[in-house]
Amino acid sequence: MSLRSVLAGRVKPGREKALRFKRGVAVTAIALTSVLSVVGCAKDSASSDNPSGGQNNNASGCQTVDKPAAASGATSSESAASDVDASQLKVGLAFDIGGRGDASFNDSAAAGLDQAIADLGVKKENTKELTATDQESEDSKQTRLRQLAQEGHNPVISVGFAYSEATKVIAGQFPNTQFAVVDGFVEGAPKNVTFLGFAEHEGSFLVGVIAALKSESCKIGFVGGVNVPLIQKFQAGFEQGVKAVAPDAEVIARYITEAGDLTGFTDAPKGQVTAKGLIDEGADVVYHAAGASGKGVFAAAKEGGVMAIGVDSDQYNQATVAEYKDVIITSMLKRVDVAVFDYIAAVAAGDMGGLPQVFDLKVNGVGYSTSGGKIDDETKEWVESYKQQIIDGEITVADTPAAS
């Protein structure tokens, strides 16, 4: 019996609002009246006197492809989490470096736990949060997970790929405890380990489309926190999205640190220096996948008078980066909150069968934000068309950057 069948027919009338939180949000495509050819890097509405685009003969301009046809039909996915009683669970959450308050990846995970407290009956006093430190040893990770398990927390959710090996070890020592690793994967993990993976490249493609439409210089920057395959997925999708709209646009990618040095996710000053370098090279839109270092990217964008794109959470609405919200045009939403919430619900229901193998566009596992009003209807139409093409399999998004 699947989780969906377990939950069928058990939704109380007052739960409808809560259900909207889940990834089972129906996405109805926006109808267009015509397909237009657009030349030049589009502005917020392409131009104030020609919202459909038209010619851009500025020396700094570049050429865009024809506007894609309107997305047709509608897409939806069933919710894997519903009116589940999780009041008996003791949930342990092991954050990556930066912890709650990073305005990014960890905060998204925290939002999923908060939603489980609000909607599933998890008792706040039965939850515990611990946070990793910079350059800590593998033993430290194991100790953190062991502590949560020994204290009776079940499930224990680790946030970040760096916990993969530690979880494999500790889960073997506590076979009756359920463990999950956001972004993790390791061969030979026990059956009580669930890996929660995402199609970051698909969401990054969409904000790449936005970057191409917003750029005037047609030089666009990407700042990665640490040069590892996971963050390269963000770069790959972003570059492909930019090139889909503006094939001649230049995407400049830089990483704050190389593999093995995880401080690239927590060093805002280095993030600012890295982003400034891209801006000095002419980038007028900068997308970051750098965790808490993204605050420095936003600072550089504001100082340089350019636009920025956030990541993981809707960073326009994050208090810790509120001073930079005027330069944040959108964020790539990696719905760690959805994955954490759905995983807790699955554990409470005693059935993991309803969880997707990958949280992708089809299940609302990734997406883009429109907070702040900087994404106009014209831009949305472009993005929604590409989004539907990815969902329908007409576009396959690469998960590794193209060779330069």
Side-chain angles (χ1 to χ4, degrees):
M1 180 177 292
S2 71
L3 178 56
R4 291 182 174 84
S5 62
V6 170
L7 302 174
R10 296 175 54 194
V11 181
K12 299 175 184 177
R15 307 292 293 186
E16 293 182 8
K17 182 178 179 181
L19 290 178
R20 295 192 196 101
F21 169 83
K22 320 305 182 288
R23 64 176 183 276
V25 178
V27 181
T28 304
I30 302 171
L32 301 179
T33 56
S34 63
V35 178
L36 305 174
S37 295
V38 181
V39 181
C41 276
K43 315 301 186 291
D44 283 1
S45 298
S47 71
S48 58
D49 58 354
N50 183 9
S52 297
Q55 296 292 325
N56 179 355
N57 294 318
N58 294 333
S60 61
C62 66
Q63 192 174 58
T64 64
V65 299
D66 290 346
K67 183 176 180 179
S72 59
T75 62
S76 65
S77 61
E78 296 180 65
S79 170
S82 185
D83 193 20
V84 173
D85 180 8
S87 60
Q88 300 305 306
L89 295 183
K90 292 183 65 176
V91 181
L93 193 59
F95 286 122
D96 204 348
I97 50 177
R100 184 187 280 265
D102 72 343
S104 186
F105 186 66
N106 290 298
D107 269 357
S108 186
L113 175 59
D114 293 345
Q115 195 72 33
I117 292 171
D119 289 354
L120 301 180
V122 173
K123 298 175 182 176
K124 186 174 179 60
E125 61 269 24
N126 286 341
T127 69
K128 187 164 188 174
E129 300 174 4
L130 299 175
T131 302
T133 58
D134 288 348
Q135 301 299 315
E136 69 179 15
S137 67
E138 191 69 15
D139 285 344
S140 295
K141 293 180 176 62
Q142 291 184 19
T143 298
R144 185 174 303 113
L145 299 181
R146 185 181 294 109
Q147 176 185 342
L148 291 170
Q150 285 176 336
E151 292 175 354
H153 292 93
N154 185 11
V156 174
I157 304 169
S158 303
V159 184
F161 64 88
Y163 280 105
S164 296
E165 289 290 346
T167 301
K168 175 182 176 181
V169 172
I170 301 305
Q173 298 173 6
F174 295 88
N176 295 322
T177 299
Q178 292 295 325
F179 292 81
V181 188
V182 176
D183 278 344
F185 181 76
V186 64
E187 295 287 351
K191 292 182 179 180
N192 57 326
V193 177
T194 300
F195 294 109
L196 303 173
F198 298 81
E200 298 93 348
H201 49 308
E202 292 184 355
S204 296
F205 183 105
L206 301 185
V207 297
V209 170
I210 293 170
L213 293 173
K214 296 293 184 180
S215 177
E216 296 179 355
S217 70
C218 288
K219 287 189 176 181
I220 296 165
F222 171 80
V223 176
V226 181
N227 193 359
V228 292
L230 174 63
I231 306 304
Q232 290 170 8
K233 289 175 67 178
F234 292 83
Q235 177 191 344
F238 183 65
E239 290 177 339
Q240 189 175 343
V242 169
K243 295 288 188 177
V245 172
D248 295 329
E250 181 181 0
V251 180
I252 314 166
R254 298 283 188 274
Y255 286 85
I256 298 173
T257 61
E258 291 301 311
D261 181 358
L262 298 182
T263 62
F265 293 128
T266 60
D267 196 329
K270 285 186 179 179
Q272 184 169 358
V273 170
T274 304
K276 185 179 185 303
L278 297 177
I279 295 166
D280 288 346
E281 291 184 54
D284 63 353
V285 183
V286 181
Y287 171 43
H288 88 86
S293 298
K295 185 173 183 178
V297 175
F298 295 147
K302 186 166 185 175
E303 183 180 81
V306 304
M307 295 168 281
I309 296 175
V311 75
D312 296 334
S313 301
D314 183 353
Q315 297 201 288
Y316 181 88
N317 289 322
Q318 292 293 319
T320 56
V321 291
E323 63 187 298
Y324 307 116
K325 65 192 304 180
D326 56 321
V327 302
I328 302 174
I329 57 173
T330 185
S331 296
M332 195 288 281
L333 301 179
K334 180 173 175 177
R335 299 303 303 274
V336 178
D337 55 339
V338 170
V340 168
F341 180 95
D342 284 358
Y343 174 73
I344 292 171
V347 172
D351 187 353
M352 303 295 183
L355 291 172
Q357 291 187 342
V358 177
F359 286 83
D360 58 12
L361 282 177
K362 291 181 180 178
V363 297
N364 197 34
V366 292
Y368 67 103
S369 67
T370 58
S371 298
K374 297 177 177 64
I375 306 301
D376 54 79
D377 289 342
E378 175 82 0
T379 303
K380 284 183 188 177
E381 290 165 358
W382 280 76
V383 178
E384 289 297 320
S385 177
Y386 281 112
K387 177 180 177 180
Q388 192 63 48
Q389 290 179 63
I390 294 170
I391 291 172
D392 292 343
E394 296 174 13
I395 292 177
T396 300
V397 184
D399 59 6
T400 56
S404 56

